[in-house]
């Protein structure tokens, strides 16, 4: 079924003509980063938005275009992309960036482990000072780092004399409240601008998928497959990643059946696998207590199939049981509520407000995913 299956992979970076519905966002991000192409200090930025709305795509694209434009101006621009969810802390992130920008002739080594965080910084600074006129670093899922020390160091590197070249940071986060968790010193030093990306609509997702049909052998996609995949993805999440995953799995399903064409029915068959993979992607980077809260909500949903909504204290009771079983020290009631709200932002859970018998209000939460899938992934 496939001619170029990699085109439907999540980490595939498309050419500019394949990017849909993000022209305005690309322009705004480029305006902030723009001075870097002539070796001048840019404005660092944070991009917020839900999974699959084009944040990483835009960050990578602007970084790539900036490098090409700088090269045309004889400006040596270092660029590197770090997925902080995959990095094991600041040292690992610095090591990955160092290897991305390190020219063979430098003689500097960036081992995966074995040296201090300060030494990683020193080696990055030395490479930048000797071989480059400016630098961009993309920190995807920056909220997954243990602290904001890396942002602080990058934003102050020029001011404290660590490095002689301007550095632009493009940070990406699914958590819109990430700025609230930054220290005041980092907020002041980073001095960033912020952009919020909205989810794609059905027409945009349809166009995204249409632009990638060359992933398949010509003529194997039935006419209704692209519109159906786009409609399903837009209705539930507005997530382009999910749409591409769903289309890819439909092709795999057709291959398994030795079918001659990919049909709408293959989308239905592939949907369960796509759902499991997307949920795993959403929860894989969650801290342990967020997962405990999620499992508590899933257990309640499974044990009470006649009920859809559960109050905070009922979820907390189940959460305390899970903590007791796992030997974890439970967090406060307020922190439990915050974790539930974070699950809502990720569209793993939903929330609503209720009114008690008196004048008080209370919160209720519901699981937006199949409880069996959640418990299978977390047990």
């Amino acid at each position: 079924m496939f001619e170029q299956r990699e085109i439907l992979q999540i980490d595939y970076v498309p050419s500019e003509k394949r990017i849909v519905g993000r022209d305005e966002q690309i322009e705004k991000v480029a305006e902030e980063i723009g001075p870097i192409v002539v070796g001048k200090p840019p404005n660092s930025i944070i991009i917020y938005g839900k999974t699959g709305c084009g944040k990483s795509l835009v960050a990578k694209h602007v970084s790539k275009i900036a490098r090409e434009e700088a090269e045309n101006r004889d400006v040596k621009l270092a660029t590197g992309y770090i997925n902080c969810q995959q990095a094991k802390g600041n040292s690992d992130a610095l090591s990955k960036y160092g290897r991305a920008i390190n020219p063979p002739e430098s003689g500097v080594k960036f081992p995966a482990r074995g040296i201090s965080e300060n030494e990683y910084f020193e080696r990055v600074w030395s490479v930048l000072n000797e071989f480059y006129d400016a630098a961009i670093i993309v920190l995807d899922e920056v909220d997954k780092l243990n602290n904001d020390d890396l942002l602080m160091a990058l934003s102050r590197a020029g001011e404290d004399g660590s490095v002689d070249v301007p550095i632009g940071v493009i940070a990406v986060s699914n958590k819109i409240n990430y700025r609230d968790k930054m220290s005041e010193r980092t907020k002041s030093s980073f001095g960033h601008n912020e952009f919020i990306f909205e989810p794609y609509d059905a027409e945009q997702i349809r166009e995204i998928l249409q632009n990638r049909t060359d992933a398949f052998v010509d003529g194997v996609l039935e006419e209704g497959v692209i519109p159906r995949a786009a409609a399903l993805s837009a209705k539930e999440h507005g997530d382009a990643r999910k749409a591409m995953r769903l289309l890819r799995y439909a092709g795999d399903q057709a291959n398994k059946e030795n079918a001659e064409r990919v049909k709408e029915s293959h989308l239905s068959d592939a949907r369960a696998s796509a759902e499991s993979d997307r949920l795993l992607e959403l929860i894989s980077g969650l801290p342990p207590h967020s997962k405990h809260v999620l499992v508590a909500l899933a257990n309640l949903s499974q044990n009470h199939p006649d009920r859809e909504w559960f109050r905070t204290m009922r979820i907390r009771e189940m959460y305390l049981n899970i903590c007791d079983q796992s030997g974890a020290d439970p967090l406060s009631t307020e922190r439990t509520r915050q974790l539930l709200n974070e699950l809502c932002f990720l569209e793993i859970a939903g929330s609503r407000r209720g009114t008690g018998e008196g004048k008080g209000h209370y919160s209720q939460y519901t699981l937006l995913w199949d409880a069996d899938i959640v418990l299978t992934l977390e047990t």
Side-chain angles (χ1 to χ4, degrees):
M1 291 295 170
F2 294 104
E3 184 74 35
Q4 302 178 76
R5 191 176 186 275
E6 66 276 9
I7 291 177
L8 294 174
Q9 296 288 351
I10 302 305
D11 56 357
Y12 175 78
V13 181
S15 61
E16 186 169 3
K17 68 180 182 179
R18 294 182 191 265
I19 298 177
V20 174
R22 290 295 177 257
D23 291 348
E24 181 180 349
Q25 289 84 352
I26 289 173
E27 183 177 347
K28 288 181 177 179
V29 172
E31 285 178 357
E32 302 298 327
I33 294 296
I36 203 82
V37 303
V38 292
K40 301 295 183 182
N43 294 322
S44 292
I45 63 172
I46 297 182
I47 303 174
Y48 297 107
K50 296 176 181 177
T51 301
C53 67
K55 306 182 303 297
S56 304
L57 174 62
V58 169
K60 291 178 180 179
H61 177 70
V62 170
S63 180
K64 175 177 178 289
I65 295 302
R67 185 177 66 248
E68 293 171 354
E69 183 62 27
E71 185 176 343
N72 292 336
R73 298 169 181 264
D74 293 325
V75 173
K76 296 178 181 177
L77 177 61
T79 61
Y81 168 87
I82 308 300
N83 187 322
C84 298
Q85 181 172 337
Q86 297 174 3
K88 304 177 183 68
N90 293 343
S91 292
D92 193 32
L94 286 166
S95 175
K96 292 178 186 296
Y97 183 68
R99 291 196 294 273
I101 66 171
N102 195 24
E105 65 270 22
S106 75
V108 179
K109 303 297 183 183
F110 288 93
R113 60 184 66 86
I115 62 176
S116 68
E117 184 174 318
N118 283 339
E119 180 61 24
Y120 279 118
F121 272 120
E122 290 301 321
R123 295 187 185 191
V124 168
W125 302 152
S126 68
V127 169
L128 290 177
N129 284 331
E130 183 173 355
F131 296 99
Y132 294 100
D133 302 310
I136 292 176
I137 179 169
V138 177
L139 297 174
D140 203 352
E141 302 203 55
V142 65
D143 50 274
K144 296 301 191 294
L145 293 175
N146 295 328
N147 51 57
D148 58 13
D149 292 351
L150 183 56
L151 288 179
M152 173 66 126
L154 290 170
S155 62
R156 293 179 62 88
E159 181 180 335
D160 64 19
S162 298
V163 68
D164 298 327
V165 304
I167 299 175
V169 179
I170 304 177
V172 177
S173 176
N174 291 335
K175 297 184 178 180
I176 197 139
N177 63 344
Y178 173 67
R179 188 180 189 280
D180 298 336
K181 299 180 180 180
M182 294 168 62
S183 68
E184 292 301 322
R185 292 179 65 229
T186 301
K187 288 179 188 176
S188 175
S189 179
F190 193 37
H192 60 282
N193 289 323
E194 300 178 350
F195 299 100
I196 299 176
F197 285 20
E198 297 296 328
Y200 292 108
D201 60 32
E203 180 57 30
Q204 289 172 328
I205 292 181
R206 187 202 63 75
E207 189 176 351
I208 289 169
L209 295 181
Q210 195 65 49
N211 283 349
R212 302 197 186 201
T213 55
D214 50 341
F216 294 89
V217 173
D218 189 36
V220 302
L221 283 177
E222 285 198 346
E223 185 175 346
V225 171
I226 295 294
R228 178 63 174 162
L232 287 171
S233 301
K235 179 180 179 182
E236 298 180 11
H237 306 289
D239 184 342
R241 290 187 178 188
K242 177 185 176 181
M244 287 185 286
R245 184 184 292 117
L246 184 60
L247 190 60
R248 188 173 73 248
Y249 285 1
D252 290 338
Q253 185 66 31
N255 274 333
K256 289 179 183 178
E257 297 177 6
N258 292 318
E260 294 183 358
R261 304 188 74 189
V262 182
K263 304 176 182 180
E264 288 187 54
S265 60
H266 292 130
L267 290 172
S268 300
D269 295 335
R271 196 173 178 189
S273 296
E275 290 289 300
S276 295
D277 276 11
R278 183 177 185 276
L279 181 59
L280 180 61
E281 181 181 283
L282 286 173
I283 68 178
S284 61
L286 292 177
H289 281 281
S290 294
K291 294 181 179 180
H292 292 337
V293 171
L294 174 59
V295 170
L297 182 55
N299 276 323
L300 288 171
S301 299
Q302 188 179 67
N303 296 340
H304 302 278
D306 57 326
R307 294 184 59 186
E308 185 178 357
W309 295 89
F310 300 92
R311 294 175 66 162
T312 306
M313 294 311 297
R314 183 70 187 90
I315 299 170
R316 178 166 171 77
E317 289 173 5
M318 181 64 75
Y319 160 73
L320 293 175
N321 290 337
I322 292 170
C323 287
D324 184 57
Q325 293 169 11
S326 64
D329 295 327
L331 302 178
S332 67
T333 300
E334 178 58 29
R335 184 60 184 141
T336 304
R337 185 178 292 108
Q338 291 173 354
L339 294 179
L340 281 166
N341 289 331
E342 289 180 7
L343 293 176
C344 291
F345 176 76
L346 293 173
E347 292 191 338
I348 297 172
S351 67
R352 71 181 185 186
R353 297 281 284 174
T355 303
E357 295 180 0
K359 295 182 179 180
H361 295 271
Y362 59 86
S363 296
Q364 291 181 305
Y365 298 89
T366 186
L367 186 65
L368 298 180
W369 297 77
D370 187 285
D372 292 337
I373 295 178
V374 173
L375 296 174
T376 298
L377 292 174
E378 284 304 303
T379 56

